[in-house]
Amino acid sequence: GAVVSQHPSRVICKSGTSVKIECRSLDFQATTMFWYRQFPKQSLMLMATSNEGSKATYEQGVEKDKFLINHASLTLSTLTVTSAHPEDSSFYICSARESGQGYQPQHFGDGTRLSIL
Amino acid sequence: AQRVTQPEKLLSVFKGAPVELKCNYSYSGSPELFWYVQYSRQRLQLLLRHISRESIKGFTADLNKGETSFHLKKPFAQEEDSAMYYCALSRKGGNKLVFGAGTILRVKS
């Protein structure tokens, strides 16, 4: 089955640090990848849609300069949290949709728990 | 605005009892509805979508446009059904998913 690998699974770092999270589709090509954020006991909130070779589309209220997304290949998208602060601490999850005709489900990564001290 | 409501944070049933996980939605157009499941220590995965009208692991869900609901049902719960269940919607043919808050299902022996 389609597997999405997300790395790292956990990050703890100091305030002001920039953190990069990788999302890879291991056995399929993904034209579109998605980045979600999940606060404790709350639902997944879509942050942005990442399209290979073009700029990401950000949801309302998400700072594009804060959350930099790069989707340089059909198997890799990265999310960089720039100058992270404690309020950025959260669980970040990526998903990837396989390229192709017809309906293609989103396949999810395991998520990255980001803790900013 | 698009919204998915799952009123129950936790649903606890005995093995063999019927299960109904509630989901209501708000959407102005023609939505596509999904149920996702996350078992303990596993990643989120698609359980079923309304358009395919299939039964997966004994679960079914019918889209009721009049009541704007997409409740997930299973006649006889099994212990392995214990998991977090998320209801989600997207625009028909669209990319973006809007998730509900999720319901934890606990099946007791």
Side-chain angles (χ1 to χ4, degrees), chain A residues 3-4 32 34 36 38 42-44 46 49 59 97 103 105-106 108-110, chain B residues 9 32 34 36 42-46 49 86 94-97 99-102:
Chain A
V3 176
V4 173
T32 307
F34 305 86
Y36 297 85
Q38 186 176 32
Q42 294 188 31
S43 187
L44 288 79
L46 181 65
T49 302
E59 294 301 299
R97 170 170 276 155
Y103 173 73
Q106 291 185 31
F108 287 82
D110 282 329
Chain B
K9 288 190 176 178
E32 191 164 346
F34 306 82
Y36 281 81
Q42 294 187 29
R43 60 192 65 196
L44 194 63
Q45 57 186 287
L46 177 66
R49 51 193 286 249
Y86 292 96
N95 270 332
K96 301 194 297 187
L97 286 169
F99 284 88

PDB file of all heavy atoms in Angstrom, chain A residues 3-4 32 34 36 38 42-44 46 49 59 97 103 105-106 108-110, chain B residues 9 32 34 36 42-46 49 86 94-97 99-102:
ATOM      1  N   VAL A   3       2.611   4.440   1.172  1.00  0.00           N
ATOM      2  CA  VAL A   3       3.178   4.816   2.471  1.00  0.00           C
ATOM      3  C   VAL A   3       3.739   6.223   2.399  1.00  0.00           C
ATOM      4  O   VAL A   3       4.436   6.587   1.454  1.00  0.00           O
ATOM      5  CB  VAL A   3       4.299   3.837   2.884  1.00  0.00           C
ATOM      6  CG1 VAL A   3       4.957   4.288   4.180  1.00  0.00           C
ATOM      7  CG2 VAL A   3       3.749   2.426   3.025  1.00  0.00           C
ATOM      8  N   VAL A   4       3.418   6.991   3.433  1.00  0.00           N
ATOM      9  CA  VAL A   4       3.962   8.335   3.572  1.00  0.00           C
ATOM     10  C   VAL A   4       4.842   8.361   4.812  1.00  0.00           C
ATOM     11  O   VAL A   4       4.400   7.985   5.897  1.00  0.00           O
ATOM     12  CB  VAL A   4       2.828   9.377   3.696  1.00  0.00           C
ATOM     13  CG1 VAL A   4       3.397  10.758   4.016  1.00  0.00           C
ATOM     14  CG2 VAL A   4       2.037   9.420   2.397  1.00  0.00           C
ATOM     15  N   THR A  32       0.203  16.316  -5.195  1.00  0.00           N
ATOM     16  CA  THR A  32      -0.325  17.193  -4.154  1.00  0.00           C
ATOM     17  C   THR A  32      -0.071  16.603  -2.776  1.00  0.00           C
ATOM     18  O   THR A  32      -0.326  15.426  -2.546  1.00  0.00           O
ATOM     19  CB  THR A  32      -1.848  17.382  -4.325  1.00  0.00           C
ATOM     20  OG1 THR A  32      -2.114  17.810  -5.653  1.00  0.00           O
ATOM     21  CG2 THR A  32      -2.373  18.433  -3.353  1.00  0.00           C
ATOM     22  N   PHE A  34      -0.443  17.709   1.557  1.00  0.00           N
ATOM     23  CA  PHE A  34      -1.180  18.589   2.449  1.00  0.00           C
ATOM     24  C   PHE A  34      -0.492  18.638   3.813  1.00  0.00           C
ATOM     25  O   PHE A  34       0.044  17.629   4.282  1.00  0.00           O
ATOM     26  CB  PHE A  34      -2.614  18.073   2.651  1.00  0.00           C
ATOM     27  CG  PHE A  34      -3.381  17.876   1.381  1.00  0.00           C
ATOM     28  CD1 PHE A  34      -3.292  16.693   0.672  1.00  0.00           C
ATOM     29  CD2 PHE A  34      -4.191  18.887   0.884  1.00  0.00           C
ATOM     30  CE1 PHE A  34      -3.990  16.510  -0.512  1.00  0.00           C
ATOM     31  CE2 PHE A  34      -4.907  18.713  -0.291  1.00  0.00           C
ATOM     32  CZ  PHE A  34      -4.798  17.525  -0.987  1.00  0.00           C
ATOM     33  N   TYR A  36      -1.218  19.580   7.821  1.00  0.00           N
ATOM     34  CA  TYR A  36      -2.226  19.816   8.839  1.00  0.00           C
ATOM     35  C   TYR A  36      -1.548  20.113  10.176  1.00  0.00           C
ATOM     36  O   TYR A  36      -0.420  19.709  10.436  1.00  0.00           O
ATOM     37  CB  TYR A  36      -3.115  18.581   9.031  1.00  0.00           C
ATOM     38  CG  TYR A  36      -3.938  18.173   7.831  1.00  0.00           C
ATOM     39  CD1 TYR A  36      -3.408  17.363   6.829  1.00  0.00           C
ATOM     40  CD2 TYR A  36      -5.269  18.593   7.708  1.00  0.00           C
ATOM     41  CE1 TYR A  36      -4.168  16.984   5.730  1.00  0.00           C
ATOM     42  CE2 TYR A  36      -6.039  18.212   6.625  1.00  0.00           C
ATOM     43  CZ  TYR A  36      -5.486  17.401   5.649  1.00  0.00           C
ATOM     44  OH  TYR A  36      -6.247  17.024   4.574  1.00  0.00           O
ATOM     45  N   GLN A  38      -2.561  19.902  14.404  1.00  0.00           N
ATOM     46  CA  GLN A  38      -3.544  19.392  15.349  1.00  0.00           C
ATOM     47  C   GLN A  38      -3.166  19.801  16.758  1.00  0.00           C
ATOM     48  O   GLN A  38      -2.095  19.424  17.262  1.00  0.00           O
ATOM     49  CB  GLN A  38      -3.639  17.861  15.255  1.00  0.00           C
ATOM     50  CG  GLN A  38      -4.736  17.261  16.099  1.00  0.00           C
ATOM     51  CD  GLN A  38      -4.859  15.760  15.899  1.00  0.00           C
ATOM     52  OE1 GLN A  38      -3.878  15.082  15.639  1.00  0.00           O
ATOM     53  NE2 GLN A  38      -6.068  15.247  16.016  1.00  0.00           N
ATOM     54  N   GLN A  42      -8.088  18.343  19.726  1.00  0.00           N
ATOM     55  CA  GLN A  42      -8.828  19.035  18.682  1.00  0.00           C
ATOM     56  C   GLN A  42      -8.616  18.328  17.351  1.00  0.00           C
ATOM     57  O   GLN A  42      -7.834  17.390  17.247  1.00  0.00           O
ATOM     58  CB  GLN A  42      -8.371  20.496  18.579  1.00  0.00           C
ATOM     59  CG  GLN A  42      -8.720  21.314  19.805  1.00  0.00           C
ATOM     60  CD  GLN A  42      -8.436  22.787  19.596  1.00  0.00           C
ATOM     61  OE1 GLN A  42      -8.534  23.305  18.497  1.00  0.00           O
ATOM     62  NE2 GLN A  42      -8.082  23.463  20.671  1.00  0.00           N
ATOM     63  N   SER A  43      -9.321  18.805  16.355  1.00  0.00           N
ATOM     64  CA  SER A  43      -9.257  18.142  15.058  1.00  0.00           C
ATOM     65  C   SER A  43      -8.051  18.585  14.242  1.00  0.00           C
ATOM     66  O   SER A  43      -7.353  19.531  14.610  1.00  0.00           O
ATOM     67  CB  SER A  43     -10.533  18.454  14.280  1.00  0.00           C
ATOM     68  OG  SER A  43     -10.560  17.697  13.103  1.00  0.00           O
ATOM     69  N   LEU A  44      -7.830  17.902  13.141  1.00  0.00           N
ATOM     70  CA  LEU A  44      -6.795  18.314  12.190  1.00  0.00           C
ATOM     71  C   LEU A  44      -7.299  19.542  11.445  1.00  0.00           C
ATOM     72  O   LEU A  44      -8.420  19.561  10.938  1.00  0.00           O
ATOM     73  CB  LEU A  44      -6.529  17.219  11.154  1.00  0.00           C
ATOM     74  CG  LEU A  44      -5.796  15.973  11.591  1.00  0.00           C
ATOM     75  CD1 LEU A  44      -6.694  15.016  12.318  1.00  0.00           C
ATOM     76  CD2 LEU A  44      -5.184  15.283  10.383  1.00  0.00           C
ATOM     77  N   LEU A  46      -6.376  21.985   8.273  1.00  0.00           N
ATOM     78  CA  LEU A  46      -5.530  22.130   7.099  1.00  0.00           C
ATOM     79  C   LEU A  46      -4.817  23.472   7.140  1.00  0.00           C
ATOM     80  O   LEU A  46      -5.448  24.514   7.329  1.00  0.00           O
ATOM     81  CB  LEU A  46      -6.379  22.026   5.828  1.00  0.00           C
ATOM     82  CG  LEU A  46      -5.625  22.132   4.508  1.00  0.00           C
ATOM     83  CD1 LEU A  46      -4.666  20.958   4.336  1.00  0.00           C
ATOM     84  CD2 LEU A  46      -6.605  22.189   3.336  1.00  0.00           C
ATOM     85  N   THR A  49      -1.973  23.553   1.121  1.00  0.00           N
ATOM     86  CA  THR A  49      -1.905  22.524   0.086  1.00  0.00           C
ATOM     87  C   THR A  49      -0.650  22.782  -0.728  1.00  0.00           C
ATOM     88  O   THR A  49      -0.426  23.899  -1.217  1.00  0.00           O
ATOM     89  CB  THR A  49      -3.138  22.596  -0.823  1.00  0.00           C
ATOM     90  OG1 THR A  49      -4.312  22.428  -0.014  1.00  0.00           O
ATOM     91  CG2 THR A  49      -3.101  21.506  -1.877  1.00  0.00           C
ATOM     92  N   GLU A  59      -4.182  28.214   3.829  1.00  0.00           N
ATOM     93  CA  GLU A  59      -5.526  28.480   4.338  1.00  0.00           C
ATOM     94  C   GLU A  59      -5.543  29.833   5.053  1.00  0.00           C
ATOM     95  O   GLU A  59      -4.504  30.347   5.497  1.00  0.00           O
ATOM     96  CB  GLU A  59      -5.955  27.379   5.301  1.00  0.00           C
ATOM     97  CG  GLU A  59      -6.115  26.022   4.636  1.00  0.00           C
ATOM     98  CD  GLU A  59      -7.119  26.031   3.523  1.00  0.00           C
ATOM     99  OE1 GLU A  59      -8.311  26.334   3.790  1.00  0.00           O
ATOM    100  OE2 GLU A  59      -6.738  25.741   2.358  1.00  0.00           O
ATOM    101  N   ARG A  97      -1.409  12.804  -1.854  1.00  0.00           N
ATOM    102  CA  ARG A  97      -2.391  12.215  -2.759  1.00  0.00           C
ATOM    103  C   ARG A  97      -1.656  11.731  -4.004  1.00  0.00           C
ATOM    104  O   ARG A  97      -0.912  12.472  -4.629  1.00  0.00           O
ATOM    105  CB  ARG A  97      -3.445  13.244  -3.132  1.00  0.00           C
ATOM    106  CG  ARG A  97      -4.370  12.809  -4.255  1.00  0.00           C
ATOM    107  CD  ARG A  97      -5.519  13.748  -4.397  1.00  0.00           C
ATOM    108  NE  ARG A  97      -6.571  13.424  -3.469  1.00  0.00           N
ATOM    109  CZ  ARG A  97      -7.461  14.291  -3.021  1.00  0.00           C
ATOM    110  NH1 ARG A  97      -7.419  15.538  -3.406  1.00  0.00           N
ATOM    111  NH2 ARG A  97      -8.384  13.925  -2.189  1.00  0.00           N
ATOM    112  N   TYR A 103     -10.565   9.181  -8.507  1.00  0.00           N
ATOM    113  CA  TYR A 103     -10.405   9.481  -7.091  1.00  0.00           C
ATOM    114  C   TYR A 103      -9.141   8.847  -6.523  1.00  0.00           C
ATOM    115  O   TYR A 103      -8.858   7.666  -6.729  1.00  0.00           O
ATOM    116  CB  TYR A 103     -11.621   8.967  -6.304  1.00  0.00           C
ATOM    117  CG  TYR A 103     -11.433   9.097  -4.818  1.00  0.00           C
ATOM    118  CD1 TYR A 103     -11.487  10.342  -4.205  1.00  0.00           C
ATOM    119  CD2 TYR A 103     -11.140   7.989  -4.028  1.00  0.00           C
ATOM    120  CE1 TYR A 103     -11.283  10.477  -2.852  1.00  0.00           C
ATOM    121  CE2 TYR A 103     -10.932   8.111  -2.663  1.00  0.00           C
ATOM    122  CZ  TYR A 103     -11.001   9.357  -2.083  1.00  0.00           C
ATOM    123  OH  TYR A 103     -10.790   9.485  -0.737  1.00  0.00           O
ATOM    124  N   PRO A 105      -7.234   8.700  -2.715  1.00  0.00           N
ATOM    125  CA  PRO A 105      -7.335   9.106  -1.310  1.00  0.00           C
ATOM    126  C   PRO A 105      -6.047   9.765  -0.833  1.00  0.00           C
ATOM    127  O   PRO A 105      -4.988   9.608  -1.443  1.00  0.00           O
ATOM    128  CB  PRO A 105      -7.566   7.784  -0.584  1.00  0.00           C
ATOM    129  CG  PRO A 105      -6.910   6.764  -1.453  1.00  0.00           C
ATOM    130  CD  PRO A 105      -7.089   7.242  -2.861  1.00  0.00           C
ATOM    131  N   GLN A 106      -6.169  10.500   0.272  1.00  0.00           N
ATOM    132  CA  GLN A 106      -4.977  11.053   0.917  1.00  0.00           C
ATOM    133  C   GLN A 106      -4.385   9.973   1.824  1.00  0.00           C
ATOM    134  O   GLN A 106      -5.101   9.318   2.582  1.00  0.00           O
ATOM    135  CB  GLN A 106      -5.339  12.281   1.747  1.00  0.00           C
ATOM    136  CG  GLN A 106      -5.755  13.479   0.933  1.00  0.00           C
ATOM    137  CD  GLN A 106      -5.981  14.705   1.787  1.00  0.00           C
ATOM    138  OE1 GLN A 106      -5.348  14.900   2.830  1.00  0.00           O
ATOM    139  NE2 GLN A 106      -6.894  15.566   1.337  1.00  0.00           N
ATOM    140  N   PHE A 108      -1.735   9.411   4.913  1.00  0.00           N
ATOM    141  CA  PHE A 108      -1.188  10.250   5.971  1.00  0.00           C
ATOM    142  C   PHE A 108       0.128   9.729   6.529  1.00  0.00           C
ATOM    143  O   PHE A 108       0.365   8.513   6.598  1.00  0.00           O
ATOM    144  CB  PHE A 108      -2.209  10.369   7.108  1.00  0.00           C
ATOM    145  CG  PHE A 108      -3.378  11.250   6.768  1.00  0.00           C
ATOM    146  CD1 PHE A 108      -4.443  10.759   6.033  1.00  0.00           C
ATOM    147  CD2 PHE A 108      -3.387  12.584   7.156  1.00  0.00           C
ATOM    148  CE1 PHE A 108      -5.514  11.580   5.685  1.00  0.00           C
ATOM    149  CE2 PHE A 108      -4.447  13.409   6.829  1.00  0.00           C
ATOM    150  CZ  PHE A 108      -5.514  12.907   6.088  1.00  0.00           C
ATOM    151  N   GLY A 109       0.957  10.691   6.930  1.00  0.00           N
ATOM    152  CA  GLY A 109       2.173  10.358   7.660  1.00  0.00           C
ATOM    153  C   GLY A 109       1.848  10.152   9.135  1.00  0.00           C
ATOM    154  O   GLY A 109       0.709  10.323   9.567  1.00  0.00           O
ATOM    155  N   ASP A 110       2.870   9.798   9.910  1.00  0.00           N
ATOM    156  CA  ASP A 110       2.689   9.548  11.337  1.00  0.00           C
ATOM    157  C   ASP A 110       2.645  10.816  12.169  1.00  0.00           C
ATOM    158  O   ASP A 110       2.299  10.779  13.348  1.00  0.00           O
ATOM    159  CB  ASP A 110       3.823   8.661  11.871  1.00  0.00           C
ATOM    160  CG  ASP A 110       3.637   7.210  11.510  1.00  0.00           C
ATOM    161  OD1 ASP A 110       2.462   6.780  11.409  1.00  0.00           O
ATOM    162  OD2 ASP A 110       4.642   6.511  11.310  1.00  0.00           O
TER     163      ASP A 110
ATOM    164  N   LYS B   9     -17.288  12.918  22.166  1.00  0.00           N
ATOM    165  CA  LYS B   9     -15.833  12.770  22.218  1.00  0.00           C
ATOM    166  C   LYS B   9     -15.467  11.316  22.473  1.00  0.00           C
ATOM    167  O   LYS B   9     -14.423  10.834  22.027  1.00  0.00           O
ATOM    168  CB  LYS B   9     -15.263  13.646  23.340  1.00  0.00           C
ATOM    169  CG  LYS B   9     -15.311  15.122  23.008  1.00  0.00           C
ATOM    170  CD  LYS B   9     -14.529  15.933  24.008  1.00  0.00           C
ATOM    171  CE  LYS B   9     -14.512  17.391  23.584  1.00  0.00           C
ATOM    172  NZ  LYS B   9     -13.803  18.245  24.541  1.00  0.00           N
ATOM    173  N   GLU B  32     -18.612  15.706  -0.477  1.00  0.00           N
ATOM    174  CA  GLU B  32     -18.253  14.306  -0.428  1.00  0.00           C
ATOM    175  C   GLU B  32     -17.854  14.010   1.022  1.00  0.00           C
ATOM    176  O   GLU B  32     -17.104  14.774   1.618  1.00  0.00           O
ATOM    177  CB  GLU B  32     -17.089  14.000  -1.373  1.00  0.00           C
ATOM    178  CG  GLU B  32     -16.861  12.513  -1.540  1.00  0.00           C
ATOM    179  CD  GLU B  32     -16.003  12.173  -2.747  1.00  0.00           C
ATOM    180  OE1 GLU B  32     -15.803  13.054  -3.611  1.00  0.00           O
ATOM    181  OE2 GLU B  32     -15.538  11.029  -2.795  1.00  0.00           O
ATOM    182  N   PHE B  34     -16.487  11.431   4.237  1.00  0.00           N
ATOM    183  CA  PHE B  34     -15.555  10.350   4.503  1.00  0.00           C
ATOM    184  C   PHE B  34     -15.551  10.009   5.997  1.00  0.00           C
ATOM    185  O   PHE B  34     -15.856  10.860   6.832  1.00  0.00           O
ATOM    186  CB  PHE B  34     -14.113  10.766   4.163  1.00  0.00           C
ATOM    187  CG  PHE B  34     -13.917  11.294   2.765  1.00  0.00           C
ATOM    188  CD1 PHE B  34     -14.214  12.620   2.455  1.00  0.00           C
ATOM    189  CD2 PHE B  34     -13.431  10.478   1.764  1.00  0.00           C
ATOM    190  CE1 PHE B  34     -14.032  13.110   1.173  1.00  0.00           C
ATOM    191  CE2 PHE B  34     -13.236  10.960   0.476  1.00  0.00           C
ATOM    192  CZ  PHE B  34     -13.540  12.274   0.184  1.00  0.00           C
ATOM    193  N   TYR B  36     -12.529   8.528   8.526  1.00  0.00           N
ATOM    194  CA  TYR B  36     -11.147   8.114   8.709  1.00  0.00           C
ATOM    195  C   TYR B  36     -11.024   7.476  10.091  1.00  0.00           C
ATOM    196  O   TYR B  36     -11.744   7.826  11.025  1.00  0.00           O
ATOM    197  CB  TYR B  36     -10.200   9.320   8.624  1.00  0.00           C
ATOM    198  CG  TYR B  36      -9.903   9.760   7.214  1.00  0.00           C
ATOM    199  CD1 TYR B  36     -10.811  10.558   6.516  1.00  0.00           C
ATOM    200  CD2 TYR B  36      -8.728   9.364   6.568  1.00  0.00           C
ATOM    201  CE1 TYR B  36     -10.540  10.955   5.204  1.00  0.00           C
ATOM    202  CE2 TYR B  36      -8.459   9.763   5.271  1.00  0.00           C
ATOM    203  CZ  TYR B  36      -9.366  10.551   4.598  1.00  0.00           C
ATOM    204  OH  TYR B  36      -9.109  10.935   3.310  1.00  0.00           O
ATOM    205  N   GLN B  42      -1.047   3.947  15.255  1.00  0.00           N
ATOM    206  CA  GLN B  42      -1.000   3.850  13.794  1.00  0.00           C
ATOM    207  C   GLN B  42      -1.383   5.194  13.197  1.00  0.00           C
ATOM    208  O   GLN B  42      -1.881   6.077  13.878  1.00  0.00           O
ATOM    209  CB  GLN B  42      -1.945   2.751  13.292  1.00  0.00           C
ATOM    210  CG  GLN B  42      -1.530   1.353  13.707  1.00  0.00           C
ATOM    211  CD  GLN B  42      -2.385   0.287  13.054  1.00  0.00           C
ATOM    212  OE1 GLN B  42      -2.902   0.476  11.948  1.00  0.00           O
ATOM    213  NE2 GLN B  42      -2.535  -0.843  13.726  1.00  0.00           N
ATOM    214  N   ARG B  43      -1.139   5.322  11.931  1.00  0.00           N
ATOM    215  CA  ARG B  43      -1.462   6.580  11.270  1.00  0.00           C
ATOM    216  C   ARG B  43      -2.928   6.624  10.857  1.00  0.00           C
ATOM    217  O   ARG B  43      -3.607   5.603  10.795  1.00  0.00           O
ATOM    218  CB  ARG B  43      -0.567   6.772  10.057  1.00  0.00           C
ATOM    219  CG  ARG B  43      -0.690   5.676   9.011  1.00  0.00           C
ATOM    220  CD  ARG B  43       0.421   5.783   7.997  1.00  0.00           C
ATOM    221  NE  ARG B  43       1.719   5.554   8.595  1.00  0.00           N
ATOM    222  CZ  ARG B  43       2.864   5.882   8.019  1.00  0.00           C
ATOM    223  NH1 ARG B  43       2.869   6.454   6.838  1.00  0.00           N
ATOM    224  NH2 ARG B  43       4.016   5.642   8.611  1.00  0.00           N
ATOM    225  N   LEU B  44      -3.362   7.811  10.571  1.00  0.00           N
ATOM    226  CA  LEU B  44      -4.731   8.022  10.117  1.00  0.00           C
ATOM    227  C   LEU B  44      -4.929   7.333   8.758  1.00  0.00           C
ATOM    228  O   LEU B  44      -4.071   7.404   7.883  1.00  0.00           O
ATOM    229  CB  LEU B  44      -4.956   9.522   9.978  1.00  0.00           C
ATOM    230  CG  LEU B  44      -6.364  10.053   9.840  1.00  0.00           C
ATOM    231  CD1 LEU B  44      -7.173   9.755  11.080  1.00  0.00           C
ATOM    232  CD2 LEU B  44      -6.324  11.553   9.590  1.00  0.00           C
ATOM    233  N   GLN B  45      -6.040   6.655   8.573  1.00  0.00           N
ATOM    234  CA  GLN B  45      -6.294   5.978   7.297  1.00  0.00           C
ATOM    235  C   GLN B  45      -7.761   6.081   6.945  1.00  0.00           C
ATOM    236  O   GLN B  45      -8.630   6.175   7.814  1.00  0.00           O
ATOM    237  CB  GLN B  45      -5.861   4.507   7.354  1.00  0.00           C
ATOM    238  CG  GLN B  45      -6.514   3.699   8.459  1.00  0.00           C
ATOM    239  CD  GLN B  45      -5.930   2.300   8.548  1.00  0.00           C
ATOM    240  OE1 GLN B  45      -6.182   1.448   7.709  1.00  0.00           O
ATOM    241  NE2 GLN B  45      -5.133   2.056   9.586  1.00  0.00           N
ATOM    242  N   LEU B  46      -8.030   6.042   5.652  1.00  0.00           N
ATOM    243  CA  LEU B  46      -9.396   6.133   5.168  1.00  0.00           C
ATOM    244  C   LEU B  46     -10.140   4.844   5.499  1.00  0.00           C
ATOM    245  O   LEU B  46      -9.648   3.747   5.225  1.00  0.00           O
ATOM    246  CB  LEU B  46      -9.388   6.364   3.654  1.00  0.00           C
ATOM    247  CG  LEU B  46     -10.740   6.422   2.970  1.00  0.00           C
ATOM    248  CD1 LEU B  46     -11.527   7.648   3.431  1.00  0.00           C
ATOM    249  CD2 LEU B  46     -10.570   6.449   1.444  1.00  0.00           C
ATOM    250  N   ARG B  49     -15.838   6.053   2.156  1.00  0.00           N
ATOM    251  CA  ARG B  49     -16.348   7.297   1.588  1.00  0.00           C
ATOM    252  C   ARG B  49     -17.759   7.058   1.107  1.00  0.00           C
ATOM    253  O   ARG B  49     -18.070   5.945   0.663  1.00  0.00           O
ATOM    254  CB  ARG B  49     -15.444   7.805   0.475  1.00  0.00           C
ATOM    255  CG  ARG B  49     -15.098   6.789  -0.596  1.00  0.00           C
ATOM    256  CD  ARG B  49     -13.964   7.239  -1.489  1.00  0.00           C
ATOM    257  NE  ARG B  49     -14.328   8.263  -2.439  1.00  0.00           N
ATOM    258  CZ  ARG B  49     -14.410   8.094  -3.744  1.00  0.00           C
ATOM    259  NH1 ARG B  49     -14.180   6.909  -4.272  1.00  0.00           N
ATOM    260  NH2 ARG B  49     -14.708   9.089  -4.558  1.00  0.00           N
ATOM    261  N   TYR B  86     -12.650   9.835  12.724  1.00  0.00           N
ATOM    262  CA  TYR B  86     -12.869  11.198  12.273  1.00  0.00           C
ATOM    263  C   TYR B  86     -13.801  11.192  11.071  1.00  0.00           C
ATOM    264  O   TYR B  86     -13.588  10.441  10.113  1.00  0.00           O
ATOM    265  CB  TYR B  86     -11.560  11.851  11.827  1.00  0.00           C
ATOM    266  CG  TYR B  86     -10.563  12.126  12.921  1.00  0.00           C
ATOM    267  CD1 TYR B  86      -9.529  11.238  13.194  1.00  0.00           C
ATOM    268  CD2 TYR B  86     -10.640  13.294  13.675  1.00  0.00           C
ATOM    269  CE1 TYR B  86      -8.608  11.501  14.187  1.00  0.00           C
ATOM    270  CE2 TYR B  86      -9.717  13.568  14.674  1.00  0.00           C
ATOM    271  CZ  TYR B  86      -8.703  12.662  14.921  1.00  0.00           C
ATOM    272  OH  TYR B  86      -7.789  12.930  15.913  1.00  0.00           O
ATOM    273  N   GLY B  94     -12.993  17.766  -5.007  1.00  0.00           N
ATOM    274  CA  GLY B  94     -12.009  18.708  -4.483  1.00  0.00           C
ATOM    275  C   GLY B  94     -10.881  18.010  -3.738  1.00  0.00           C
ATOM    276  O   GLY B  94     -10.930  16.817  -3.471  1.00  0.00           O
ATOM    277  N   ASN B  95      -9.884  18.806  -3.384  1.00  0.00           N
ATOM    278  CA  ASN B  95      -8.710  18.293  -2.702  1.00  0.00           C
ATOM    279  C   ASN B  95      -8.812  18.371  -1.182  1.00  0.00           C
ATOM    280  O   ASN B  95      -8.416  17.468  -0.473  1.00  0.00           O
ATOM    281  CB  ASN B  95      -7.485  19.121  -3.110  1.00  0.00           C
ATOM    282  CG  ASN B  95      -6.793  18.540  -4.319  1.00  0.00           C
ATOM    283  OD1 ASN B  95      -6.843  17.352  -4.551  1.00  0.00           O
ATOM    284  ND2 ASN B  95      -6.175  19.407  -5.100  1.00  0.00           N
ATOM    285  N   LYS B  96      -9.329  19.475  -0.688  1.00  0.00           N
ATOM    286  CA  LYS B  96      -9.212  19.783   0.728  1.00  0.00           C
ATOM    287  C   LYS B  96     -10.215  19.025   1.582  1.00  0.00           C
ATOM    288  O   LYS B  96     -11.378  18.906   1.231  1.00  0.00           O
ATOM    289  CB  LYS B  96      -9.410  21.285   0.945  1.00  0.00           C
ATOM    290  CG  LYS B  96      -8.400  22.136   0.195  1.00  0.00           C
ATOM    291  CD  LYS B  96      -8.372  23.565   0.672  1.00  0.00           C
ATOM    292  CE  LYS B  96      -9.682  24.277   0.438  1.00  0.00           C
ATOM    293  NZ  LYS B  96      -9.555  25.720   0.779  1.00  0.00           N
ATOM    294  N   LEU B  97      -9.730  18.539   2.716  1.00  0.00           N
ATOM    295  CA  LEU B  97     -10.580  17.847   3.677  1.00  0.00           C
ATOM    296  C   LEU B  97     -10.806  18.737   4.892  1.00  0.00           C
ATOM    297  O   LEU B  97      -9.874  19.356   5.410  1.00  0.00           O
ATOM    298  CB  LEU B  97      -9.925  16.547   4.138  1.00  0.00           C
ATOM    299  CG  LEU B  97      -9.905  15.377   3.149  1.00  0.00           C
ATOM    300  CD1 LEU B  97      -8.991  14.279   3.660  1.00  0.00           C
ATOM    301  CD2 LEU B  97     -11.311  14.846   2.925  1.00  0.00           C
ATOM    302  N   PHE B  99     -12.077  18.253   8.718  1.00  0.00           N
ATOM    303  CA  PHE B  99     -12.270  17.176   9.669  1.00  0.00           C
ATOM    304  C   PHE B  99     -13.148  17.602  10.837  1.00  0.00           C
ATOM    305  O   PHE B  99     -13.139  18.757  11.264  1.00  0.00           O
ATOM    306  CB  PHE B  99     -10.927  16.713  10.242  1.00  0.00           C
ATOM    307  CG  PHE B  99     -10.115  15.872   9.300  1.00  0.00           C
ATOM    308  CD1 PHE B  99      -9.246  16.457   8.395  1.00  0.00           C
ATOM    309  CD2 PHE B  99     -10.222  14.494   9.324  1.00  0.00           C
ATOM    310  CE1 PHE B  99      -8.496  15.679   7.522  1.00  0.00           C
ATOM    311  CE2 PHE B  99      -9.474  13.706   8.458  1.00  0.00           C
ATOM    312  CZ  PHE B  99      -8.613  14.294   7.560  1.00  0.00           C
ATOM    313  N   GLY B 100     -13.883  16.627  11.385  1.00  0.00           N
ATOM    314  CA  GLY B 100     -14.540  16.822  12.664  1.00  0.00           C
ATOM    315  C   GLY B 100     -13.529  16.621  13.783  1.00  0.00           C
ATOM    316  O   GLY B 100     -12.369  16.280  13.534  1.00  0.00           O
ATOM    317  N   ALA B 101     -13.974  16.817  15.013  1.00  0.00           N
ATOM    318  CA  ALA B 101     -13.074  16.751  16.158  1.00  0.00           C
ATOM    319  C   ALA B 101     -12.699  15.324  16.531  1.00  0.00           C
ATOM    320  O   ALA B 101     -11.755  15.111  17.298  1.00  0.00           O
ATOM    321  CB  ALA B 101     -13.706  17.447  17.354  1.00  0.00           C
ATOM    322  N   GLY B 102     -13.443  14.357  16.008  1.00  0.00           N
ATOM    323  CA  GLY B 102     -13.117  12.969  16.289  1.00  0.00           C
ATOM    324  C   GLY B 102     -13.896  12.391  17.456  1.00  0.00           C
ATOM    325  O   GLY B 102     -14.299  13.117  18.377  1.00  0.00           O
TER     326      GLY B 102
END
